[in-house]
Amino acid sequence: MRGVTGRLMLLDTASLYFRAYFGVPDSVKAPDGTPVNAVRGLLDFIDRLVKDHRPDSLVACMDADWRPRWRVDLIPSYKAHRVAEEHEAGPDEEEVPDTLSPQVPVIEDVLDALGIARVGVAGYEADDVIGTFTARTEGPIDIVTGDRDLYQLVDDARGVRVLYPLKGVGTLQMTDEALLREKYGVDGSGYADLALLRGDPSDGLPGVPGIGEKTAAKLLAEFGDLAGIMAAVDDPKAKLTPSQRKRLDEARPYVAVAPKVVRVAADVPLPDVDTTLPCTPRDPAGLDRLAVRWGLGGSLHRLLTTLEA
């Protein structure tokens, strides 16, 4: 990881280009009529993020595998409802809008020509790449994502915060430990346990039946963490209602495997990349060709002007 100095910004890239795709009209097209709303929207997002937050280093973190087999082996329902096609030999195909899929390679080519570090690692999600960069970097770190799962990385002491888009990327929720305690009753390290207990239908995580968000927060406040809660199940003196004790006891098989699924990895084999935010494009001629081919116009020009500044 070369070039990690000052403030590091980590982009959950798929989360952002999905938002761009749904936020920018599909009437935004290349000269040949191909929609490029996700491409141009993402460039506008990056431009705004760099302008507003001035990172020194930036990494576009990618989903090399959006549904890793090692997670599915532990919890088969993990993201199962989002599978368009299963593949024995490689990653399953995610259900993605027809006009978004062809834009992803264009996004990758443009980021590479710009010289913005782009990292995806086989067998891992972008969340895991973000988790590993966060574990290996001193800080401060801004994680930009529309996925609340990454709240688990928030750490005030290390200057790690999540910038959560509320409307585009012009209105971001600055997620620190104070906000997590106010909204969820936990800090960053407790968020994964909270998510595990309450479940998450969007990821196909069942959670513990009958244990919602508020109950999960109360149990974590009472017993400290997931291990403390499960120890309380075995302690007849612990302050658990009979139904809570029964439900948690019955959920032991899920609770035993869910932490590995819910917690982001911190040991991904990251490639050696230069994360320094570029001032000028790495491949100016290639970028010019992409700009003409895909009609990137003002979106690309604005980002280049911001990077040069």
Side-chain angles (χ1 to χ4, degrees), residues 95-233:
E95 202 169 280
V96 174
D98 290 345
T99 54
L100 173 57
S101 295
Q103 297 188 57
V104 177
V106 181
I107 287 168
E108 293 175 343
D109 289 345
V110 172
L111 291 174
D112 291 349
L114 281 164
I116 289 175
R118 182 173 65 83
V119 178
V121 178
Y124 294 96
E125 300 176 55
D127 286 10
D128 301 310
V129 173
I130 290 169
T132 303
F133 268 108
T134 301
R136 294 184 188 174
T137 307
E138 289 293 317
I141 300 169
D142 285 339
I143 298 164
V144 188
T145 180
D147 184 352
R148 292 184 181 89
D149 291 345
L150 289 166
Y151 287 174
Q152 64 185 275
L153 296 175
V154 169
D155 184 340
D156 286 1
R158 296 184 55 228
V160 181
R161 61 186 184 176
V162 167
L163 309 183
Y164 183 87
L166 298 172
K167 188 176 179 184
V169 292
T171 308
L172 294 169
Q173 173 186 281
M174 302 285 183
T175 311
D176 59 9
E177 289 187 358
L179 187 139
L180 290 181
R181 283 191 290 270
E182 179 189 333
K183 287 188 78 166
Y184 303 102
V186 295
D187 56 14
S189 60
Y191 189 84
D193 287 347
L194 179 85
L196 180 160
L197 289 163
R198 69 154 188 231
D200 186 348
S202 69
D203 280 344
L205 292 172
V208 177
I211 305 289
E213 188 167 279
K214 288 183 180 175
T215 302
K218 284 179 185 173
L219 291 172
L220 288 166
E222 178 76 26
F223 301 110
D225 57 15
L226 184 65
I229 292 170
M230 297 313 292
V233 176

Side-chain angles (χ1 to χ4, degrees), residues 17-28:
Y17 66 60
F18 262 93
R19 281 177 179 251
Y21 175 81
F22 288 108
V24 177
D26 59 10
S27 56
V28 176

Side-chain angles (χ1 to χ4, degrees), residues 55-106:
D56 302 287
S57 302
L58 187 142
V59 183
C61 302
M62 313 296 290
D63 282 321
D65 189 342
W66 68 279
R67 188 176 182 246
R69 171 54 52 189
W70 55 272
R71 282 193 166 103
V72 177
D73 287 344
L74 294 169
I75 298 181
S77 62
Y78 183 69
K79 295 187 178 178
H81 60 297
R82 284 153 57 180
V83 176
E85 192 176 334
E86 291 191 21
H87 297 291
E88 286 290 326
D92 292 335
E93 202 170 306
E94 186 176 11
E95 202 169 280
V96 174
D98 290 345
T99 54
L100 173 57
S101 295
Q103 297 188 57
V104 177
V106 181

